[in-house]
Amino acid sequence: MKTYAEFLTSKRVVDPPTGIEPCAGNGMLFPFQADIVRWALRRGRAAIFADCGLGKTPMQLEWARQIPGRVLILTPLAVAAQTVREAAKFGIEGVVYSRTPCDAPIVVTNYEMLSHFDAADFGGIVLDESSILKSYDGAFRSEVIAKFAATPFRLACTATPAPNDHMELANHAEFLGAMTRVEMLATFFTHDGGETSKWRVKRHAQKDFWRWLCSWAVMIRKPSDLRYEDDGFILPALRVHPVVTQGDTVEGMLFPVEAITLGERLGARRASIGHRVAACAEIVNDSQGQFLVWCNLNSESESLVRAIDGAVEVRGSDSIEAKEQRLMAFSAGEIRVLVTKPSIAGFGLNWQSCSQMAFVGLSDSYEQYYQAVRRCWRFGQRSPVHVYVITAETEGAVVANIQRKERDATAMAASMVENMHDLNEQAVHGVKARTRDEYKTGRESGTGWEMVLGDCVDALRALPDDSIDFSVYSPPFASLYTYSASDRDLGNSKNVDEFVVHYGYVLAELYRVLKPGRNVSFHCMNLPISKEREGFIGLRDFRGEMIRAHQDAGFIYHSEACIWKDPVTAMQRTKALGLLHKQIKKDSCMSRQGIADYLVTMRKHGVNPEPVTHTNESYPVSLWQRIASPVWTDINPSDTLQHRSAREHDDERHICPLQLEVIRRALALWTNPGDLVLSPFAGIGSEGVVAIEMGRRFLGMELKGSYYKQAVANLRNARPSAGRLFEESPNGEEPQDAEV
């Protein structure tokens, strides 16, 4: 079994390097490119998130050149031939484009040809334009991840790793073996309410999230993001020209009606083809030089080819050979006007020779729009790029949606670069990473109580054997709520299994310090399982796992009380599908009951040396009948200490305080006046306040500084009782630094 220190080290979420020491690099690379390649080689499994035109192709080719064994490079259609030309330009030999197995050191092929190749033949795999994975169905994405799970060297390259939200990074993390999607969500993400699509990084987990991401990825929009000069990497002007055509009116309406729903938007696109094609043809036919025309519907493409002089069409039904031939011809300047779709040619191709493009309508995909624009508007482009966005009046909602997504994506990319900036610099330039926040300890006491600031495992180890009369607390509910960024926080666990292991260190000490025959009561609930995180909707038997963890530590399962909670309130707060009345009408097989709380009590083996006794007066039959009920329906959920003053900016909205009446009942039943009550997860001191008010003594432990401070304040205001905890306990020690 690991020591506690070893276990804490293992909790720190980083993807360890598994690579090689680079050899002499390609002198034709820019300094920032060469340094990124060296970093990726040392990593072994890495992602390069570099903006369009920063040279992802030469970087991945140089990476592939140095990898032991053969390397397979998967690219979007027509990018393969471009990759081979880049290899020749940079003097990298042995690079062959093939759709079938061959013996070349570096094989370049299209994603569509993946099934023709055996992963066992390659020591390295490169996913060029790796964000394209989310454009395929889940089966293909899973196939790619599973097929190369044993490949020792893996590289993913894209300019748009997360165009919509940070959750999309899971595709790259899974491919590289850094973490599964389920683990990533459990470790770093939470969602508000019942909108399972609205996942966000936990506030307390943000530093650790970016640190983890930077352990396997580098993000760069321009060389200066990594402290290099931007010479030669200045984008030209981008001039977007909105062109709004007249929309067809609906019978009986004076003006065109804006399409809102997906079906309405598709209908609006089809109804306005004639207007939009005519507007585009007029612009293109009056232009000089090459022109790239993007569309989304086959009917648009057909009409555009008829209306534009010399236009050549590339469509999905064309053979791979025909697509490649026409795309390469456009690259060579042999075709003046190319008409195609972003889904076909929107990724990976370099068309700096063209500075004019038009979108004949828009889809709802911002990533496709961005990638399509960046085929021409990229580093190396010498002319201002003109983009004509041609839409009908009725497509206003589509335009607004893309504009919103553009703002969100731009802000997200800026945030990613900002948050990763220093860490990327440290990784690429070999600077030692900054240390984590210091672990603080401290101790304060008053008459009948004592609070310890620090890790409860360490604090419990300082207590004598058989010294605690009773313990009651509400532990962290696995990773349901996040209270701090510390590895010592049980809430910072990748999953419930890791939580249980961490909790085991607490229970081992708790069993030791509890007197024989005495009890421990913990407050818990079963945990909801989301479809996004686990792939299905259900409940996790967290209560049962907690009971079994106590049993593994030596405790006897003694009793439990089910604490009733209002399902209507839970429904209003969580919007949980299983509690919505409309689900009854849709499919009631998904409907369920509300999730109750539990007060579970465990007992230590042995004979209690100081029996807990009562009288008919102190504990009448009527009271016992109420307490003996297996379901407590009379607990006021608002009967808690005021806790908002202990909240910090990073705290999530819920700290799950234990109701005071639940604590009162436990103390009245299982303790004598003057007994020492322990809470290893004291929070803001609820258990201590009740203990003091009831004439018991209290020892609390809390890791989070703001909660500790509030607990001390609450205990100072509680009605005191006589007695000291331990003779050796110091009084009023100031917090001090401690080694992690």
Side-chain angles (χ1 to χ4, degrees), residues 126-143:
V126 177
L127 301 187
D128 186 23
E129 298 297 338
S130 50
S131 67
I132 204 173
L133 282 178
K134 69 183 188 67
S135 301
Y136 290 92
D137 60 35
F140 181 81
R141 191 161 54 246
S142 298
E143 179 188 357

Side-chain angles (χ1 to χ4, degrees), residues 155 198 357 399 519:
L155 183 68
K198 302 296 183 182
M357 69 173 66
V399 175
N519 298 336

Side-chain angles (χ1 to χ4, degrees), residues 74-80 109-112 128-129 132 136 344 347-348:
L74 292 175
T75 76
L77 185 68
V79 178
T109 195
N110 308 123
Y111 281 97
E112 291 80 2
D128 186 23
E129 298 297 338
I132 204 173
Y136 290 92
I344 297 173
F347 292 83

Side-chain angles (χ1 to χ4, degrees), residues 37-268:
V37 170
R38 282 192 285 269
W39 165 82
L41 287 166
R42 293 187 181 102
R43 286 288 321 146
R45 295 175 284 109
I48 300 174
F49 301 150
D51 214 345
C52 302
L54 285 174
K56 290 187 291 296
T57 299
M59 283 192 281
Q60 65 194 29
L61 284 166
E62 175 61 15
W63 181 89
R65 183 185 72 83
Q66 296 197 39
I67 289 299
R70 300 171 63 224
V71 176
L72 179 67
I73 301 179
L74 292 175
T75 76
L77 185 68
V79 178
Q82 180 177 278
T83 301
V84 174
R85 291 199 303 270
E86 285 284 292
K89 175 182 173 181
F90 283 84
I92 299 174
E93 300 177 346
V95 182
V96 174
Y97 172 35
S98 180
R99 296 174 189 160
T100 57
C102 66
D103 295 329
I106 301 175
V107 181
V108 185
T109 195
N110 308 123
Y111 281 97
E112 291 80 2
M113 299 294 108
L114 175 62
S115 60
H116 297 176
F117 294 85
D118 186 351
D121 294 337
F122 300 94
I125 173 70
V126 177
L127 301 187
D128 186 23
E129 298 297 338
S130 50
S131 67
I132 204 173
L133 282 178
K134 69 183 188 67
S135 301
Y136 290 92
D137 60 35
F140 181 81
R141 191 161 54 246
S142 298
E143 179 188 357
V144 171
I145 293 169
K147 190 164 186 168
F148 298 102
T151 305
F153 300 96
R154 285 167 261 172
L155 183 68
C157 300
T158 183
T160 52
N164 298 305
D165 59 62
H166 292 134
M167 287 172 55
E168 294 174 349
L169 293 165
N171 290 330
H172 295 86
E174 287 198 305
F175 166 69
L176 297 173
M179 192 176 284
T180 68
R181 180 182 184 84
V182 171
E183 289 174 332
M184 188 186 83
L185 290 177
T187 304
F188 302 116
F189 285 76
T190 186
H191 67 87
D192 297 315
E195 297 182 77
T196 56
S197 62
K198 302 296 183 182
W199 289 78
R200 60 173 173 80
V201 180
K202 299 173 185 175
R203 297 187 184 100
H204 279 301
Q206 292 195 16
K207 289 183 179 178
D208 280 349
F209 173 73
W210 294 115
R211 183 169 60 91
W212 166 74
L213 185 59
C214 289
S215 71
W216 54 268
V218 64
M219 180 88 176
I220 177 173
R221 294 177 301 177
K222 55 186 184 300
S224 58
D225 289 337
L226 293 178
R227 221 172 49 205
Y228 300 90
E229 296 295 328
D230 286 332
D231 295 347
F233 292 92
I234 305 298
L235 284 170
L238 177 66
R239 296 168 182 166
V240 180
H241 309 278
V243 180
V244 181
T245 68
Q246 183 180 356
D248 293 336
T249 58
V250 179
E251 186 177 353
M253 303 293 290
L254 294 176
F255 302 99
V257 178
E258 185 174 286
I260 303 297
T261 67
L262 184 62
E264 289 174 346
R265 293 199 293 268
L266 183 58

Side-chain angles (χ1 to χ4, degrees), residues 187 202 204-205 479-485 489 491-492 650-652:
T187 304
K202 299 173 185 175
H204 279 301
S479 60
L480 184 61
Y481 305 114
T482 303
Y483 303 96
S484 74
D489 191 335
N492 283 342
D650 290 339
D651 291 349
E652 303 297 341

